[in-house]
Amino acid sequence: MKKARAAVLMVVVAFLAVIGIVASPVLTFVTEGRCGEEYDRIDEALVPFDILDARPPGAVPHGERGSGCDTDDYFASVDRSYRPARQQTSQEDVVSYYRAIALRHGWQVVSGEGSPDGEECVVKGVEGSQVQMSVWFPPDAGGDYSVSVSTWPCDR
């Protein structure tokens, strides 16, 4: 009886393993959706200059690169966080640094026409659409900031 239970248990485990192997690509597609194409656009925007590796003097990378995919709207983003230099660098100085370096490497400033505040976006054209660069200062991050490149449209 114990041998029969063990055999049945082994069959069940093998079945679940096969289901997991087969389901893995399907689950990846469901969760990532069409974001693979969006990540390709981001990669193209970062050639030949990867703005996510740029940083003001003294700033240090904080953690690894991150990425995200909005599977409802199929927008992708890639980001990198930094800890600024010990001497106080203002948020405006950090934003100005990234804007200036982006402009020197072929990015453009465009008006966010649909933006409620009329904000400007720093974008690069890729395959007939835009990839956007932004700098974000989380309120509870103690001065750390994140640089993000995404396929979110400028007017959102």
Side-chain angles (χ1 to χ4, degrees):
M1 189 68 160
K2 286 185 181 183
K3 287 184 180 182
R5 283 187 196 166
V8 168
L9 181 60
M10 288 179 67
V11 168
V12 168
V13 169
F15 177 74
L16 291 175
V18 168
I19 293 295
I21 291 169
V22 171
S24 179
V26 173
L27 289 174
T28 299
F29 178 77
V30 169
T31 58
E32 292 290 319
R34 296 182 306 238
C35 284
E37 295 171 12
E38 301 300 293
Y39 287 125
D40 291 345
R41 287 179 40 219
I42 290 172
D43 287 344
E44 188 173 328
L46 297 177
V47 172
F49 175 75
D50 189 340
I51 198 159
L52 296 177
D53 287 337
R55 59 185 183 259
V60 178
H62 181 59
E64 299 295 321
R65 276 188 190 217
S67 63
C69 173
D70 179 322
T71 55
D72 291 335
D73 296 320
Y74 302 107
F75 297 119
S77 64
V78 178
D79 60 69
R80 183 82 194 253
S81 295
Y82 290 93
R83 180 161 290 140
R86 285 188 181 247
Q87 69 272 15
Q88 286 293 61
T89 303
S90 73
Q91 290 182 359
E92 293 80 18
D93 289 343
V94 172
V95 171
S96 292
Y97 170 84
Y98 282 100
R99 179 181 281 225
I101 201 164
L103 294 176
R104 282 197 308 267
H105 287 90
W107 294 68
Q108 300 175 333
V109 175
V110 298
S111 169
E113 296 172 13
S115 173
D117 301 327
E119 295 177 17
E120 294 180 330
C121 301
V122 178
V123 300
K124 189 169 186 181
V126 176
E127 298 177 10
S129 59
Q130 295 175 341
V131 173
Q132 179 180 183
M133 187 272 302
S134 62
V135 180
W136 181 58
F137 295 86
D140 58 348
D144 290 0
Y145 65 92
S146 178
V147 181
S148 174
V149 177
S150 71
T151 59
W152 280 95
C154 180
D155 60 355
R156 287 193 177 227

